[in-house]
Amino acid sequence: MSVETERSSTESSAASGLDFEDTALTLRLPGSDPDRKRASTSDPDCPSPTAAAADSPPSPKAQVVGWPPVRAFRKNALAASASARTKFVKVAVDGAPYLRKVDLAAFAGYTTTSAAAYDQLLAALQDKFISHFTVRKLGNEEMKLVDAVSGTEYVPTYEDKDGDWMLVGDVPWRMFVETCQRIRLMKSSEAVNLAPRAAR
Amino acid sequence: MTYFPEEVVEHIFSFLPAQRDRNAVSLVCKVWYEVERLSRRDVFVGNCYAVRPERVVLRFPNVRALSVKGKPHFADFNLVPPDWGGYAGPWIEAAARGCVGLEELRMKRMVVSDESLELLAKSFPRFRALILVSCEGFSTDGLAAIASHCKLLRELDLQENEVDDRGPRWLSCFPDSCTSLASLNFACIKGEVNAGALERLVARSPNLRSLRLNRSVSVDTLSKILMRTPNLEDLGTGNLTEDFQTESYQRLTVALEKCKMLKSLSGFWDASPLCVPCIYPVCAQLTGLNLSYAPTLESSDLTKMISHCVKLQRLWVLDCIADKGLQVVASTCKDLQELRVFPSEFYIAGYSPVTEEGLVAISVGCPKLSSLLYFCHQMTNAALITIAKNCPNFTRFRLCILEPGKPDAMTNQPLDEGFGAIVRECEGLRRLSISGLLTDKVFMHIGRHAKQLEMLSIAFAGDSDAGMMHVMEGCKNLRKLEIRDSPFGDAALLGNVAKYETMRSLWMSSCTVTEKGCQVLASKMPMLNVEVINEVDESSEMDESHGGLPKVHKLYVYRTIAGARDDAPDFVKIL
């Protein structure tokens, strides 16, 4: 099996799924690139440049001061309830003797381009189970976790409300949090039936 | 008219409650000025720094209802640093000295201290109504003073204030002899209140029409209270989160059914879906519903509730309602006049359950819609054009696309044409907030068509000074202009300086205005206060490449007859 060029998820734009174009500084108006997909349907975690072209793209979590224009009272009220909300789900890893639990409500998304990935689910999964890892987001947008030491590839899957086993990353983050019942990191070799295209 | 005795003139003036009309008649002649000023009952001060409090009190010694606003609107979003100003103290002190007949005080975005509240409570024997909106600086001790001393208190209305909680004692400070309460709103108080004291207070307040509780009030207390208030018109619920026994919720339903006059419902702090069926009995009579603090209610819960609300005129809700929920609103709430859809999460690059489709559905089903606040992640010109055609009655239109500079989701074009349609079709538009990818063209449309526009909010929009200048030239009725993160500089600032005297204020932050430009403005227009607010802690994105001149981080310009204010902190420079 091919272990692609070892790069940490923070450096590799291919691994994080962001095109180089999106992080390049250009004089174009943001959004005027006709090749860019609609952010809402294609990749919910892909940030786009702000109007201030000199700034780097914002991370998915709001970094712009005073934006969105919501009163502090309301933001605080919702934040208080968000911290009270939890959604713990069991996580099983093929080959590991016991399960773990993660709180999906504690994360902002699947993955991110910024250095501080601690609020992202995949980073947490890696943290708990796999000592050395790479996040590889392939052309067909499957996410894979690779144990760099053993070379084993894991595909994150989850069971939804209907009892079906799905590939993590297909639906927008919030929909995923709502419907996910449990997570299983399946060995890539066993995940053939789930992949839209035959695994290599 | 000068042959009429003054009492007759005064009587005629009593038919002119509007401040604008009274200002007009007082300009006619000295006699009218005197008669008018001594008989003026309501005074509204839109900017507390536009005039000195002593001057107001001297001119209108018999004022009964005083209303004062402090910080600029963008203070709501933490763009105005703390300690900027807006102190209520001088106003309350001046009133205590000069108009002891004061009965009502309304304050918005001001800093109010406990000492001021105590002074207020003790200085005005006929005081009956205190309304504080988005204020800060006081604690429940100040409220205790109000409760203790204002014997005729009818209204205590605390909306979204930052209140320091010092315990539940304050509510017990209403004396047993206080039976005049008609309106009590303590929803923003964070801590516990004494349930017994609350029940007793309600029991001795037969005139209670509006009651808004805070999160700490249990379902059982709420039910007990509602059994005592059959004439209640407006209710803000307390705690509806816990998994109560079915009996508690049944009691609540029975109690709610007694409230035949109930028209407006709010609160629902983190409300559990289990409470939704309790509300069904009153849904059909509701004209106002605020569910915007219930992120735990999913779209299906919300639509179940709303499908009963056939008389609804005002709806505030979170985006969890989703487009399909908005379709239910559109088919049920034919009388809808005001809709606010708030974001349940604040990520810039994310996903909203509401899109342009939900808003189009609303515009089709609710042609009476006149006031809108809508947060979403995507919009299209086509949708805006359709919405404008369907709802020509908009007076307030605020659209916030969460990602700054985001274009039309279908065509990748700027949203100029969409907003252009809004200002063209909605001739009565008084307030507008724009967002998304916008060029100078949108400002051309606004300047040309938005003739009734009084307040305009701009963020991350425009290409050049020409944008702002279109607005300054065209919007004849503009009173408040607030701009952030847009490429408008000195040429725009100085393009029409005389206009600032016809406006209440201008706010510009993270634009390309320089200190030189501000100085020029200040020297040309002595009747303006030009405040340059520069903080040290903010991000260092302001480069100095604009001809070597440092850019001004935040600028606040307002007309005033009070001169430069003397309570400005170090980081505010008044030119």
Side-chain angles (χ1 to χ4, degrees):
Chain A
M1 123 197 57
S2 63
V3 176
E4 274 203 356
T5 38
E6 300 283 6
R7 273 169 283 163
S8 82
S9 59
T10 54
E11 287 172 335
S12 160
S13 59
S16 61
L18 243 206
D19 287 342
F20 179 71
E21 306 307 336
D22 286 311
T23 54
L25 303 181
T26 69
L27 294 178
R28 242 186 275 129
L29 282 173
S32 61
D33 181 351
D35 294 332
R36 256 175 19 91
K37 288 183 276 194
R38 285 168 68 176
S40 58
T41 52
S42 60
D43 184 352
D45 297 313
C46 177
S48 42
T50 63
D55 293 341
S56 53
S59 62
K61 267 200 170 147
Q63 294 295 332
V64 181
V65 175
W67 192 264
V70 174
R71 274 192 188 166
F73 179 88
R74 181 175 291 281
K75 269 191 177 162
N76 293 338
L78 286 182
S81 71
S83 59
R85 264 181 291 149
T86 58
K87 179 154 184 184
F88 279 95
V89 296
K90 292 181 190 169
V91 185
V93 178
D94 286 358
Y98 52 82
L99 279 58
R100 301 294 298 270
K101 266 199 161 172
V102 291
D103 177 11
L104 295 181
F107 300 105
Y110 295 113
T111 184
T112 184
T113 55
S114 75
Y118 303 113
D119 58 353
Q120 308 301 319
L121 174 63
L122 291 185
L125 292 178
Q126 289 143 203
D127 208 33
K128 284 194 159 151
F129 294 104
I130 304 164
S131 46
H132 301 281
F133 56 85
T134 307
V135 177
R136 209 167 356 125
K137 210 162 179 217
L138 308 178
N140 62 2
E141 296 186 25
E142 267 178 33
M143 288 186 217
K144 281 204 168 94
L145 304 174
V146 180
D147 187 332
V149 172
S150 66
T152 319
E153 271 187 13
Y154 295 92
V155 174
T157 64
Y158 71 102
E159 184 181 9
D160 72 1
K161 276 183 179 164
D162 301 324
D164 297 319
W165 283 94
M166 315 285 295
L167 200 63
V168 167
D170 279 345
V171 299
W173 172 253
R174 273 199 276 162
M175 201 185 284
F176 166 71
V177 173
E178 247 186 71
T179 56
C180 173
Q181 301 300 300
R182 59 170 73 210
I183 292 176
R184 177 180 164 200
L185 300 190
M186 220 180 235
K187 283 208 179 121
S188 199
S189 44
E190 289 185 37
V192 176
N193 294 336
L194 289 180
R197 299 177 186 82
R200 280 165 229 123
Chain B
M1 280 290 275
T2 46
Y3 301 111
F4 287 170
E6 288 180 8
E7 301 83 57
V8 176
V9 177
E10 185 180 319
H11 181 70
I12 294 172
F13 289 172
S14 69
F15 292 99
L16 299 173
Q19 179 149 303
R20 247 175 229 182
D21 295 331
R22 298 208 63 130
N23 289 347
V25 303
S26 56
L27 292 174
V28 169
C29 64
K30 284 205 174 99
V31 172
W32 280 29
Y33 177 90
E34 279 300 302
V35 171
E36 194 285 314
R37 78 177 188 88
L38 293 171
S39 60
R40 175 93 65 120
R41 298 281 174 259
D42 296 322
V43 173
F44 169 76
V45 179
N47 175 2
C48 65
Y49 291 122
V51 59
R52 289 205 178 277
E54 296 78 23
R55 189 155 168 178
V56 173
V57 159
L58 202 61
R59 181 172 167 186
F60 304 112
N62 300 318
V63 65
R64 305 250 170 91
L66 177 63
S67 193
V68 189
K69 288 176 151 185
K71 302 184 201 178
H73 174 236
F74 274 179
D76 283 352
F77 319 129
N78 294 336
L79 287 178
V80 176
D83 303 329
W84 170 84
Y87 301 106
W91 289 89
I92 294 175
E93 285 152 31
R97 277 192 295 268
C99 44
V100 288
L102 191 68
E103 296 176 7
E104 297 177 19
L105 181 63
R106 282 172 186 73
M107 297 196 135
K108 187 168 184 180
R109 285 192 211 101
M110 296 193 76
V111 180
V112 188
S113 67
D114 284 344
E115 291 72 34
S116 295
L117 287 177
E118 206 171 320
L119 180 63
L120 174 69
K122 292 181 177 161
S123 306
F124 308 104
R126 292 210 294 270
F127 196 75
R128 51 182 216 195
L130 177 63
I131 297 107
L132 299 176
V133 181
S134 296
C135 295
E136 53 172 343
F138 62 103
S139 78
T140 46
D141 288 349
L143 300 179
I146 297 285
S148 309
H149 300 287
C150 299
K151 311 254 180 290
L152 302 173
L153 196 67
R154 290 224 301 245
E155 194 175 335
L156 179 59
D157 188 0
L158 307 168
Q159 297 177 31
E160 296 189 344
N161 301 292
E162 258 312 307
V163 187
D164 193 19
D165 190 83
R166 304 241 177 106
R169 171 185 79 94
W170 68 277
L171 195 66
S172 311
C173 288
F174 285 101
D176 291 339
S177 53
C178 176
T179 57
S180 46
L181 265 187
S183 170
L184 177 63
N185 174 3
F186 62 93
C188 63
I189 303 294
K190 295 180 200 126
E192 305 269 316
V193 290
N194 185 315
L198 178 60
E199 287 171 43
R200 285 191 296 277
L201 179 61
V202 170
R204 65 177 185 275
S205 304
N207 297 322
L208 201 61
R209 295 286 171 273
S210 168
L211 180 63
R212 295 190 181 193
L213 311 169
N214 76 350
R215 287 171 197 255
S216 73
V217 178
S218 73
V219 172
D220 286 334
T221 306
L222 174 59
S223 301
K224 282 191 209 150
I225 287 172
L226 288 177
M227 298 300 280
R228 302 286 215 146
T229 57
N231 294 327
L232 201 66
E233 294 169 13
D234 168 53
L235 173 68
T237 69
N239 189 337
L240 293 174
T241 60
E242 299 160 41
D243 272 4
F244 289 109
Q245 304 298 328
T246 329
E247 293 146 13
S248 286
Y249 279 127
Q250 278 167 355
R251 271 199 292 273
L252 179 60
T253 308
V254 169
L256 274 173
E257 272 166 344
K258 292 222 179 314
C259 299
K260 304 279 182 217
M261 311 287 292
L262 196 62
K263 293 267 179 322
S264 158
L265 211 48
S266 60
F268 294 98
W269 313 100
D270 299 323
S272 148
L274 291 173
C275 79
V276 168
C278 301
I279 314 293
Y280 289 165
V282 292
C283 282
Q285 59 198 63
L286 291 180
T287 57
L289 183 58
N290 182 352
L291 297 166
S292 64
Y293 288 103
T296 34
L297 294 179
E298 294 176 5
S299 180
S300 46
D301 304 310
L302 296 168
T303 48
K304 275 193 214 130
M305 205 193 286
I306 291 171
S307 59
H308 296 266
C309 300
V310 288
K311 287 204 184 139
L312 211 57
Q313 294 172 15
R314 187 175 48 83
L315 175 64
W316 291 24
V317 79
L318 287 172
D319 61 7
C320 315
I321 193 173
D323 283 340
K324 60 174 157 65
L326 290 176
Q327 263 146 22
V328 174
V329 175
S331 52
T332 311
C333 310
K334 294 304 177 187
D335 287 335
L336 197 69
Q337 292 168 22
E338 178 180 329
L339 175 66
R340 296 197 190 186
V341 179
F342 293 96
S344 47
E345 277 174 16
F346 307 121
Y347 306 138
I348 289 180
Y351 143 83
S352 266
V354 298
T355 68
E356 76 276 12
E357 289 178 15
L359 193 52
V360 170
I362 292 281
S363 75
V364 171
C366 311
K368 289 188 195 170
L369 196 64
S370 60
S371 174
L372 179 74
L373 172 60
Y374 198 79
F375 287 83
C376 59
H377 264 99
Q378 63 180 64
M379 187 49 60
T380 66
N381 282 309
L384 284 172
I385 291 167
T386 306
I387 290 159
K389 289 242 160 59
N390 293 339
C391 292
N393 297 320
F394 275 123
T395 55
R396 295 179 193 79
F397 189 88
R398 293 191 281 165
L399 178 66
C400 180
I401 300 165
L402 280 136
E403 196 184 310
K406 184 155 182 192
D408 180 317
M410 290 289 199
T411 65
N412 263 331
Q413 294 301 303
L415 291 170
D416 301 332
E417 293 315 304
F419 281 106
I422 295 285
V423 292
R424 241 190 329 270
E425 301 290 334
C426 306
E427 291 173 355
L429 196 67
R430 294 200 308 265
R431 183 169 180 184
L432 177 65
S433 297
I434 57 181
S435 59
L437 181 63
L438 295 163
T439 72
D440 286 345
K441 273 211 200 99
V442 72
F443 298 112
M444 210 175 69
H445 295 315
I446 292 172
R448 193 175 289 164
H449 297 284
K451 292 307 177 189
Q452 299 302 316
L453 196 65
E454 295 177 8
M455 182 169 179
L456 178 62
S457 307
I458 301 168
F460 305 100
D463 307 314
S464 73
D465 290 326
M468 181 171 159
M469 285 161 84
H470 286 310
V471 171
M472 294 288 282
E473 273 315 300
C475 297
K476 298 296 176 204
N477 283 303
L478 196 64
R479 291 191 298 117
K480 287 178 277 183
L481 180 58
E482 47 185 27
I483 306 171
R484 63 166 292 177
D485 293 274
S486 300
F488 305 138
D490 294 341
L493 180 69
L494 300 170
N496 186 357
V497 294
K499 184 161 179 75
Y500 297 120
E501 265 184 16
T502 69
M503 291 166 57
R504 183 186 298 173
S505 64
L506 165 74
W507 170 279
M508 291 179 79
S509 59
S510 303
C511 298
T512 51
V513 172
T514 70
E515 194 154 321
K516 182 104 194 307
C518 297
Q519 266 155 8
V520 171
L521 177 60
S523 61
K524 280 191 177 176
M525 302 291 295
M527 295 302 266
L528 302 178
N529 274 357
V530 178
E531 294 197 9
V532 170
I533 303 163
N534 277 320
E535 300 149 280
V536 190
D537 58 66
E538 285 298 317
S539 55
S540 47
E541 37 194 278
M542 301 317 298
D543 58 343
E544 302 192 354
S545 60
H546 210 74
L549 291 163
K551 283 191 223 150
V552 160
H553 193 204
K554 291 172 185 170
L555 170 66
Y556 185 44
V557 179
Y558 53 91
R559 66 180 178 191
T560 178
I561 55 172
R565 59 188 176 107
D566 49 19
D567 61 2
D570 295 334
F571 54 80
V572 171
K573 201 159 139 190
I574 304 180
L575 302 176

